[in-house]
Amino acid sequence: MTDGGYAVRAEGLEKRYGEKRALDGFDLAVREGTVHGLLGPNGAGKTTAVRILSTLVRLDGGRATVAGLDVARQSREVRARIGLTGQYAAVDEVLTGRQNLEMFGRLFHLGGRRARLRAGELLEQFGLTDAADKGVGKYSGGMRRRLDLAASMILAPAVLFLDEPTTGLDPRSRGEVWESVRDLVADGTTVLLTTQYLEEADKLASRITVIDQGRAIADDTPDGLKNTVGGDRIEVVVGERADIPRAVKVLARVADGEPETDETELRVHAPVTDRVAALTEVARTLQDEGIPAEDIGLRRPSLDDVFLRLTGHRTERTETETEKKEAAA
């Protein structure tokens, strides 16, 4: 059972910790059988929202339903219909993968035989059969996270909450987790995903809600959010900071608006309409005027551009990467 086709609904959620409002009238609607991304800066209220929706924290105001059940009045029933995977794997590294899943099955009162059967099903579903009897301490990061996802699926939940599930994983391991999430949704599970990796939200989520200061400030498809920033942009990276003003003048000739600059990354970019003609013109003019370009290209707005426009700054992850580049320079 869902609430009008929505697996998760929140209306005017409020949560206070002393004088601080972690949630201040937060709204959310997650359609059944989809991945819905929840993005926001640290302290925006993402984890608080997940904790309320998964019945770990009581709300102070508003209303929320999960799988058609009221989280405040029917918390026990809600817990029977959901799974939750946090930022760090909760599996035991001493036990094997199979033993971990059997243990979780027993904790969920499945009984010995049913726990063994369910463990076998999940090991196969998550591509861990070959490593089932190895100690988890020997698993790669991606394998541990897949085992953690499997553990959250012991009772085949209707709704799965993923709170930054790929934090700290390398790109290959992250891709393995993404495939597992896609398979879960294909089998009918609804996923609410919080993440700091905007690429992750872009690839997995069919809809994204941006939260800041405890409120939802945007809700749309990834492409819809990008369209709020604008269309195609031409981007030039110069070799020296002194070349930035000259590159700005070149881009201004073909741009549909004022060129913007990023002096840290020596980047100049501007919106354009006739993308191919603009790229050709800029490349030729840069060469004619002797302005060395480290890189030149066309690109669509990214979710990071959306995040910057909506919240006033880039994600914490992007800022960290920039700091590393500056330190290496």
Side-chain angles (χ1 to χ4, degrees), residues 57-314:
V57 173
R58 290 184 178 273
L59 55 84
D60 292 328
R63 175 180 179 271
T65 61
V66 174
L69 301 165
D70 189 284
V71 298
R73 295 185 293 103
Q74 299 169 289
S75 58
R76 177 173 294 186
E77 293 90 337
V78 169
R79 286 193 287 272
R81 303 294 305 279
I82 66 173
L84 172 63
T85 298
Q87 297 179 23
Y88 305 101
V91 293
D92 190 314
E93 294 191 0
V94 175
L95 301 178
T96 67
R98 189 185 307 277
Q99 289 170 335
N100 265 283
L101 294 182
E102 289 182 6
M103 176 186 69
F104 278 106
R106 297 296 292 270
L107 290 173
F108 281 110
H109 309 292
L110 291 185
R113 182 174 179 277
R114 287 186 62 202
R116 286 191 296 274
L117 289 173
R118 185 59 178 150
E121 292 170 355
L122 290 168
L123 288 165
E124 182 176 357
Q125 180 180 351
F126 284 87
L128 294 169
T129 303
D130 291 343
D133 298 311
K134 293 181 181 178
V136 173
K138 297 180 180 179
Y139 281 21
S140 68
M143 292 169 67
R144 291 183 193 184
R145 289 307 274 165
R146 280 188 282 149
L147 183 64
D148 207 32
L149 283 173
S152 68
M153 296 295 293
I154 290 288
L155 296 182
V159 179
L160 178 61
F161 297 100
L162 298 182
D163 191 10
E164 301 191 21
T166 61
T167 297
L169 294 186
D170 60 77
R172 179 178 178 180
S173 297
R174 192 175 300 135
E176 292 174 350
V177 174
W178 291 353
E179 284 304 311
S180 296
V181 172
R182 292 188 183 103
D183 290 342
L184 292 176
V185 175
D187 289 337
T189 297
T190 302
V191 173
L192 179 62
L193 168 75
T194 75
T195 180
Q196 289 288 351
Y197 295 104
L198 298 185
E199 179 191 13
E200 183 165 83
D202 205 357
K203 288 185 177 294
L204 289 177
S206 58
R207 197 168 187 91
I208 293 171
T209 297
V210 181
I211 180 174
D212 195 20
Q213 298 181 0
R215 291 176 176 268
I217 59 174
D219 184 285
D220 206 337
T221 64
D223 284 343
L225 289 173
K226 293 172 190 175
N227 287 338
T228 64
V229 177
D232 293 316
R233 302 182 75 83
I234 190 166
E235 179 177 284
V236 174
V237 178
V238 295
E240 302 290 340
R241 186 164 298 182
D243 292 325
I244 291 178
R246 299 169 66 196
V248 168
K249 291 181 179 179
V250 173
L251 263 66
R253 300 176 188 177
V254 299
D256 291 333
E258 286 293 323
E260 299 178 22
T261 64
D262 183 333
E263 294 197 2
T264 300
E265 298 184 357
L266 305 181
R267 183 167 60 99
V268 182
H269 56 99
V272 294
T273 301
D274 192 340
R275 56 202 309 267
V276 176
L279 180 63
T280 303
E281 174 69 16
V282 168
R284 184 176 61 248
T285 305
L286 289 172
Q287 185 175 27
D288 291 345
E289 297 192 9
I291 304 172
E294 298 290 325
D295 190 25
I296 181 172
L298 289 163
R299 69 176 181 87
R300 294 258 310 154
S302 67
L303 283 181
D304 194 48
D305 296 322
V306 175
F307 201 90
L308 174 63
R309 176 71 60 87
L310 292 174
T311 68
H313 55 80
R314 297 190 181 276

Side-chain angles (χ1 to χ4, degrees), residues 3-18:
D3 186 353
Y6 292 96
V8 178
R9 292 204 73 158
E11 299 173 350
L13 286 192
E14 296 181 2
K15 183 62 184 178
R16 295 178 296 276
Y17 294 101

